[in-house]
Amino acid sequence: MARGKLRIYLGAAPGVGKTYSMLSEAHRRVERGTDAVVAFVEHHGRPRTEVMLHGLEQIQRQELEYRGTAFTEMDVDAVLARRPAVALVDELAHTNVPGSRNAKRWQDIEELLEAGIDVISTVNIQHLESLGDVVESITGVRQRETVPDEIVRRADQIELVDMSPQAIRRRMAHGNIYQPDKVDAALSNYFRPGNLTALRELALLWVADRVDEYLQQYRAEHSIRSTWQARERIVVGLTGGPEGRTLIRRAARMAAKGSGSEVLAVYIARSDGLTSASPKELAVQRTLVEDLGGTFHHVIGDDIPSALLEFARGVNATQIVLGSSRRKAWQYMFGPGVGALVARESGPDLDVHIVTHDEVAKGRGLPVARGARLGRARIIAGWLVGVVAPALLSLGLTRLAHGPGLANDVLLFLFLTVAAALLGGQLPALASAAVGSLLLNFYFTPPTHTLTVNDPHNLFAIVIFFSVAVSVASVVDLAARRTHQAARLRAESEILSFLAGSVLRGEQTLDALLERVRETFKMETVALLERRSDVDPWTCAGRAGGTEQSAPVRPEDADVDMPVGDHMALALTGRVLPAEDRRVLAAFAAQAAVVLDRQRLVGEAERAQELAEGNRIRTALLAAVSHDLRTPLASIKASVTSLRSDDVAWSEEDEAELLAGIEAGADRLDHLVGNLLDMSRLQTGTVTPLIREIDLDEVVPMALGGVPEGSVTLDIPEELPIVAVDPGLLERSVANLVENAVKYSPDGETVLVAASALGDRVELRIADRGPGVPDSAKDRIFEPFQRYGDAPRGAGVGLGLAVARGFAEAMGGTLAAEDTPGGGMTMVLTLRAAAGRPPARPDLPAQATT
């Protein structure tokens, strides 16, 4: 069965029209004859959205009860039984009420998609998991309901529902988003123009990144090499010299002028040893470009200008930033320079910027080494010097009335042979030696114009000339080969050193390493394949480049495969690599295996740590059950046994005392079991706060029922802002804190519970006059099963403070311990205030946070 398709309407903030657009699309599909139903749509009391539901079939919702309040959720079973072609499911990031089929609504949607049902859904940008910290820094509100970015990225279609901040605020002011009594508070808090503008920019940039992924995939599938200037991408060419920092900063300033621009710094290590870059300087430049929001790339290329242009076109760059040459004037005899060649070959689709810097014309040290891989121009020049130049020299010398003599003629021809060897290598030099010998014999040794040599001395001179010429050519060619090998080994060592350092420091993930392999060897796809045994099929452990369909599924399907052990191989597609490149590729493959093993070991270590923590909790729980829970049970058992005894006549006072003991034991047992269950919920992550706005004086007095009367003094001002909390969780937290403070307070000393406002927060302080806790132990007392000092057995299982902190953090608050002035300890519970909002009416149902 084919998987259903997911379409998501993405918005920057509530009220931009996501649900309205989704319902409009549903009406269009129904008019075309598509079987579309409403699985779950929340109109939030907005009249225009509610009208759009008319004419659409709606699936009956499932009713659930939680903490005495009825809630409705999507009935996944009913939708699967109805099996429509398209299901409308609102609020992708919604957290389902405990007891639902799945914890998150996106998990419900995954079930519908797996069943072959197309789904249309909605989500706001602030609910994306990766943007939680960014949104909190902008709005001051931490989003508790989030959806993994990968779920949204996997959607077949993402449509941005955009609206200007001014239009959203007008819609809010007209009452089209919230009820009139909430408009003023919303406009002055979350819906401020700055907040809406920043959220809108986040949404636009996120969608732009998604569009860019589609574009890169399309260009790869259609082999498009020309630049499409849909987005500014600035490539910075680095040589490893000190001018690189100037170029990176200049490119960053250029990128800052256009929103969404990218900076990509690339260092190309030529296999013929073009540069001797300092690894330390490259590391500094890499850190700089990453700090400025760019990326660093390390590529091997024989021809620097061609490799740079190929990289720029491969990433669809629009601009290239290069530094002015550091060479002195005489060094231009070796060529026009990288900047000039890149500017000449860039074409109309790439802008090249040459940036001046402090190192201009200060020289680049010794002339660059020449390798055996010569360009076509130098080979042609070598043949011209080796063959044509001797003929021209002979013509010039024969026209002289008195030539320089045979010895000097031999030296001149020998000079041309050496020049041919330096320019074109061994073959032009050998040809020059042969041609020079013939010309010397024909024109300059008597009898001239014949190949006969009368004087043995002249014959000896020609033989010596030929021998020396051949020897010089061989030595020059051998030196060039050795230079090339040394330069290549140096380039390889730079790559491997950089790779090993980054892997050992843990800076590279498997995907990043495979992407580095793809860039280094200019391949289309790189995949790490593995299997359990020789007969099992290959599976892909990681992939970079290309698409899932184009990636090789077996090593023999790839253009290049590099085995790593018996059951792992690195497979590359794009071109066949020369044998000399396989040595570096083998190192990359070995490193990829190491990174994969390390990632798996890290995962296993995390799971082992979780198991160890679970074992610790279970051990402590058994210890608590063995004593702290049995103590009240023993007291209850003894009292009940005494009351049921027939041989003792108990007075009314004795019976009342025994019954009071039973009640106290039962209350204590209930408290211990409650804390154990709460700790279990916190450990498993199943605590789902239902946030509502309420006054502290409605909750805190209810939390004092478990302490003796008169042991607590309350100081909660009436003008205190209302707080956004889960009343049940807050009551349990305060009860645990107050009971702990009363337990450690001296006789006759009361515990002070005071509240105060601090900016957008409300602080509740529970101060006692007990022995206090040193600073080194203030964090440790919040760990489970911790009892400070010499607390006697039976005084509790040590979960009260741990549960209180866990509930506080679940509501978006904090809990910390401070010293009480004059002695003792103060617990500071910080909660989020809902400034400017009226207290919620007691008869209103609680609502989960969004």
Side-chain angles (χ1 to χ4, degrees):
M1 179 183 298
R3 177 182 169 89
K5 296 185 180 299
L6 175 61
R7 179 171 183 171
I8 295 178
Y9 287 91
L10 176 68
V16 297
K18 303 181 301 300
T19 305
Y20 190 92
S21 299
M22 178 179 66
L23 294 173
S24 300
E25 175 65 18
H27 279 286
R28 286 193 292 270
R29 297 199 181 195
V30 170
E31 291 173 359
R32 296 196 299 265
T34 304
D35 182 18
V37 302
V38 176
F40 189 97
V41 170
E42 186 63 63
H43 57 75
H44 297 290
R46 298 165 187 168
R48 296 185 179 181
T49 305
E50 187 175 4
V51 169
M52 293 297 294
L53 287 169
H54 297 166
L56 297 176
E57 178 184 350
Q58 301 186 45
I59 302 294
Q60 183 69 30
R61 299 184 183 183
Q62 179 185 16
E63 290 191 3
L64 297 170
E65 184 175 346
Y66 181 68
R67 292 188 174 181
T69 304
F71 298 89
T72 60
E73 296 288 359
M74 180 176 66
D75 193 338
V76 179
D77 292 327
V79 179
L80 293 174
R82 171 63 175 76
R83 197 169 186 78
V86 179
L88 275 64
V89 184
D90 206 3
E91 298 178 355
L92 179 66
H94 172 75
T95 299
N96 294 329
V97 173
S100 301
R101 182 189 186 99
N102 295 302
K104 293 286 189 176
R105 183 163 294 164
W106 62 264
Q107 296 172 326
D108 296 337
I109 292 176
E110 284 293 310
E111 288 196 38
L112 301 183
L113 295 173
E114 290 296 334
I117 301 174
D118 293 347
V119 177
I120 304 178
S121 187
T122 64
V123 70
N124 282 329
I125 192 67
Q126 64 263 31
H127 294 299
L128 295 183
E129 198 169 73
S130 65
L131 300 177
D133 295 338
V134 179
V135 172
E136 183 179 13
S137 66
I138 294 172
T139 64
V141 178
R142 180 68 179 182
Q143 297 296 329
R144 292 294 170 185
E145 292 187 328
T146 59
V147 58
D149 289 42
E150 183 60 26
I151 300 300
V152 183
R153 287 184 179 275
R154 286 207 310 260
D156 299 275
Q157 296 183 58
I158 300 176
E159 184 170 333
L160 178 65
V161 182
D162 188 31
M163 180 176 289
S164 68
Q166 294 77 12
I168 297 178
R169 287 174 60 83
R170 283 196 301 269
R171 179 177 287 184
M172 173 72 73
H174 294 160
N176 294 330
I177 300 179
Y178 288 164
Q179 297 298 321
D181 59 339
K182 298 182 178 181
V183 169
D184 291 339
L187 290 176
S188 59
N189 289 279
Y190 192 88
F191 285 81
R192 294 193 299 268
N195 288 358
L196 296 177
T197 302
L199 293 174
R200 185 189 189 194
E201 183 178 15
L202 279 179
L204 291 171
L205 290 177
W206 195 92
V207 174
D209 286 336
R210 181 63 175 154
V211 172
D212 187 63
E213 292 176 10
Y214 284 131
L215 179 61
Q216 294 290 356
Q217 181 178 348
Y218 179 85
R219 284 167 53 85
E221 292 174 353
H222 293 79
S223 301
I224 298 173
R225 303 294 297 168
S226 60
T227 300
W228 289 2
Q229 299 187 5
R231 183 176 183 178
E232 289 293 336
R233 283 188 177 85
I234 305 172
V235 171
V236 184
L238 301 178
T239 65
E243 77 281 0
R245 306 182 200 183
T246 302
L247 302 184
I248 292 170
R249 293 189 179 96
R250 175 59 176 157
R253 291 195 298 271
M254 294 168 58
K257 295 179 181 178
S259 179
S261 300
E262 293 183 64
V263 175
L264 301 92
V266 56
Y267 167 65
I268 301 175
R270 248 176 59 173
S271 59
D272 63 354
L274 173 66
T275 183
S276 55
S278 166
K280 181 179 180 181
E281 180 64 27
L282 280 178
V284 171
Q285 293 177 14
R286 178 185 181 182
T287 302
L288 176 61
V289 72
E290 290 176 349
D291 289 344
L292 294 175
T295 56
F296 184 89
H297 305 266
H298 201 146
V299 178
I300 291 179
D302 291 326
D303 187 351
I304 297 294
S306 298
L308 181 59
L309 289 171
E310 185 175 352
F311 175 84
R313 293 191 174 102
V315 298
N316 200 29
T318 58
Q319 301 180 58
I320 298 178
V321 175
L322 300 173
S324 297
S325 178
R326 289 186 283 129
R327 295 188 296 178
K328 295 183 180 296
W330 64 269
Q331 290 178 311
Y332 280 94
M333 65 180 293
F334 298 106
V338 173
L341 291 175
V342 170
R344 187 179 67 190
E345 301 295 335
S346 62
D349 55 351
L350 270 173
D351 296 334
V352 179
H353 303 267
I354 306 297
V355 179
T356 60
H357 49 82
D358 295 337
E359 304 297 322
V360 173
K362 290 186 177 180
R364 300 185 59 179
L366 296 176
V368 296
R370 292 178 173 79
R373 290 184 177 180
L374 305 174
R376 179 180 301 178
R378 287 186 55 183
I379 293 176
I380 293 175
W383 281 101
L384 291 175
V385 172
V387 177
V388 178
L392 296 177
L393 178 61
S394 299
L395 181 62
L397 292 176
T398 54
R399 291 182 178 273
L400 297 176
H402 301 285
L406 181 60
N408 292 326
D409 293 339
V410 170
L411 291 177
L412 290 174
F413 279 96
L414 183 60
F415 170 77
L416 295 179
T417 301
V418 173
L422 292 173
L423 288 174
Q426 188 175 27
L427 290 180
L430 293 176
S432 178
V435 171
S437 300
L438 292 174
L439 292 175
L440 282 171
N441 185 7
F442 190 81
Y443 287 105
F444 304 106
T445 57
T448 59
H449 301 95
T450 67
L451 296 178
T452 303
V453 181
N454 292 336
D455 189 349
H457 294 87
N458 294 337
L459 179 61
F460 182 74
I462 293 175
V463 171
I464 292 299
F465 161 75
F466 184 79
S467 301
V468 171
V470 171
S471 300
V472 169
S474 300
V475 170
V476 170
D477 182 71
L478 180 62
R481 291 178 183 274
R482 293 292 183 265
T483 302
H484 165 69
Q485 293 172 0
R488 180 172 182 83
L489 290 174
R490 184 179 64 188
E492 291 178 0
S493 65
E494 288 179 0
I495 290 289
L496 295 178
S497 175
F498 182 81
L499 170 67
S502 60
V503 170
L504 291 175
R505 291 190 299 269
E507 297 176 355
Q508 290 219 16
T509 62
L510 180 61
D511 292 340
L513 180 61
L514 295 180
E515 180 63 25
R516 179 61 55 83
V517 175
R518 191 184 70 83
E519 290 180 353
T520 300
F521 296 99
K522 303 185 182 71
M523 306 301 285
E524 293 179 359
T525 306
V526 178
L528 184 62
L529 306 178
E530 63 175 349
R531 59 181 179 180
R532 295 182 180 273
S533 65
D534 294 336
V535 297
D536 288 329
W538 291 93
T539 59
C540 182
R543 176 179 58 84
T547 61
E548 186 174 353
Q549 293 74 19
S550 64
V553 295
R554 300 179 305 169
E556 50 266 29
D557 296 336
D559 295 322
V560 180
D561 69 284
M562 177 58 63
V564 188
D566 295 331
H567 302 125
M568 187 177 292
L570 193 64
L572 302 87
T573 60
R575 66 187 180 95
V576 178
L577 288 179
E580 56 189 357
D581 286 340
R582 294 183 65 86
R583 181 172 60 253
V584 179
L585 182 61
F588 272 106
Q591 293 286 19
V594 171
V595 172
L596 179 61
D597 289 342
R598 187 181 63 203
Q599 288 183 353
R600 289 175 175 173
L601 288 174
V602 169
E604 293 176 2
E606 292 176 351
R607 289 190 293 272
Q609 185 176 2
E610 293 176 359
L611 291 175
E613 179 66 17
N615 288 333
R616 189 183 71 82
I617 295 294
R618 282 191 290 272
T619 301
L621 178 60
L622 289 175
V625 171
S626 65
H627 186 280
D628 294 293
L629 296 182
R630 291 179 63 184
T631 299
L633 284 175
S635 175
I636 294 173
K637 174 68 174 176
S639 298
V640 171
T641 302
S642 299
L643 288 174
R644 296 188 62 185
S645 177
D646 296 332
D647 55 351
V648 178
W650 301 101
S651 64
E652 293 184 358
E653 291 80 3
D654 293 334
E655 289 184 356
E657 185 177 353
L658 290 173
L659 291 173
I662 293 174
E663 183 179 13
D667 289 341
R668 182 177 166 193
L669 186 63
D670 178 70
H671 179 72
L672 293 175
V673 172
N675 276 339
L676 288 172
L677 293 177
D678 289 337
M679 197 67 231
S680 175
R681 292 169 59 203
L682 289 171
Q683 290 288 339
T684 56
T686 58
V687 175
T688 304
L690 299 177
I691 306 298
R692 58 181 295 185
E693 297 165 6
I694 194 169
D695 278 327
L696 277 181
D697 56 9
E698 296 182 33
V699 179
V700 174
M702 299 173 61
L704 306 182
V707 297
E709 187 174 354
S711 61
V712 177
T713 302
L714 279 179
D715 181 14
I716 300 180
E718 294 183 359
E719 66 274 9
L720 198 68
I722 57 179
V723 292
V725 296
D726 183 314
L729 298 185
L730 178 60
E731 181 182 343
R732 291 298 302 274
S733 298
V734 175
N736 284 348
L737 295 175
V738 172
E739 290 176 9
N740 186 77
V742 171
K743 179 170 60 178
Y744 286 99
S745 291
D747 294 338
E749 294 285 348
T750 61
V751 173
L752 175 63
V753 178
S756 60
L758 182 63
D760 60 348
R761 300 277 170 169
V762 173
E763 286 188 354
L764 185 66
R765 308 177 75 88
I766 298 94
D768 62 59
R769 293 293 180 182
V773 175
D775 293 339
S776 59
K778 280 187 170 60
D779 285 334
R780 197 164 62 249
I781 61 175
F782 292 104
E783 296 178 2
F785 304 103
Q786 295 292 322
R787 283 181 290 201
Y788 179 70
D790 56 353
R793 299 291 299 178
V797 293
L799 287 177
L801 296 182
V803 170
R805 171 174 275 191
F807 283 171
E809 293 177 348
M811 295 183 294
T814 60
L815 177 61
E818 297 179 357
D819 291 330
T820 303
M825 186 171 63
T826 299
M827 292 293 176
V828 182
L829 178 61
T830 305
L831 304 170
R832 291 188 296 118
R837 294 176 181 263
R841 296 193 300 272
D843 57 342
L844 289 178
Q847 295 182 352
T849 52
T850 59

